Amino acid sequence: MMQIQLTLADQQFSLVLAGSQIVKIYQQQQAIGFDNPRENYFEFKLDDQLIGLDTSAVVEQSLLLHINNQFIQQLILPSVEKTKPKQGLLGLFALGFKIFKSAKVVKVVLAGASVAGYAWLFTFEFALMLIACLVIHEYGHVRAMQYFGIKTKGIYLIPFVGGLAVSDDKITTRWQDVVISLMGPAFGLIT
């Protein structure tokens, strides 16, 4: 994106360009409407005159000015310095936050916290068996939801609480609710 300042008929204009396409035109910080009758040509009204801007030469740092469909002047644009993107702690923090927001990362962190919490209270082997039982139990709920065509987000393990089978859709009938509720313990009986 590039912003260009223009003075036409003693009035200040700002053009916002993306490549060779004008995105916005501002007059005294007020957005004004414009037309795009053909590729790389933009028009707007100013004091009963039709101002045309040909942006096909923006790559060569120039802009062609037309008034009432007559070529008037070639405007030389200032060169735009390419700046290096800033890298710092804020960028790393933002990246870390995006990764943490990912549902898979949250699931892994919660599962790890559950294993660590139960291993701290009991033994590591007991913690693994308890997590396995919780996952199988919650998997029964998830399979029942999938059987009824309900979209699921998966299984979340909550430290010191248990597990949770999360769905995207609502359960529509009482029968679905009963079957989904019973499938968790039914799968748990296998373990």
Side-chain angles (χ1 to χ4, degrees), residues 142-161:
V142 169
R143 287 295 297 163
M145 288 180 213
Q146 290 172 346
Y147 175 78
F148 288 117
I150 298 171
K151 294 180 183 175
T152 62
K153 289 185 180 179
I155 298 170
Y156 290 86
L157 296 172
I158 304 167
F160 306 112
V161 174

Side-chain angles (χ1 to χ4, degrees), residues 111-121 127 160:
S114 293
V115 169
Y118 294 129
W120 178 69
L121 279 179
F160 306 112

Side-chain angles (χ1 to χ4, degrees), residues 3-7 12-16 26 75-78:
Q3 188 165 1
I4 301 169
Q5 303 296 324
L6 284 178
T7 303
Q12 290 289 330
F13 290 90
S14 294
L15 307 176
V16 179
Y26 295 100
L75 305 170
I76 305 301
L77 301 176

Side-chain angles (χ1 to χ4, degrees), residues 59-74:
V59 177
E60 291 91 30
Q61 298 300 110
S62 68
L63 188 68
L64 304 176
L65 175 64
H66 297 262
I67 297 178
N68 294 329
N69 293 320
Q70 287 186 310
F71 173 73
I72 300 296
Q73 183 180 3
Q74 180 177 0

Side-chain angles (χ1 to χ4, degrees), residues 78-149:
S79 62
V80 179
E81 289 183 27
K82 302 265 180 177
T83 58
K84 246 173 65 176
K86 292 183 181 179
Q87 297 174 344
L89 292 177
L90 186 62
L92 289 174
F93 177 73
L95 178 63
F97 184 70
K98 279 187 176 184
I99 290 172
F100 184 74
K101 273 182 27 179
S102 169
K104 290 180 183 176
V105 172
V106 171
K107 287 180 186 179
V108 169
V109 168
L110 287 173
S114 293
V115 169
Y118 294 129
W120 178 69
L121 279 179
F122 306 108
T123 64
F124 183 71
E125 294 82 12
F126 181 81
L128 289 179
M129 284 306 297
L130 183 59
I131 295 298
C133 291
L134 285 171
V135 168
I136 291 171
H137 174 92
E138 296 303 327
Y139 181 70
H141 296 305
V142 169
R143 287 295 297 163
M145 288 180 213
Q146 290 172 346
Y147 175 78
F148 288 117

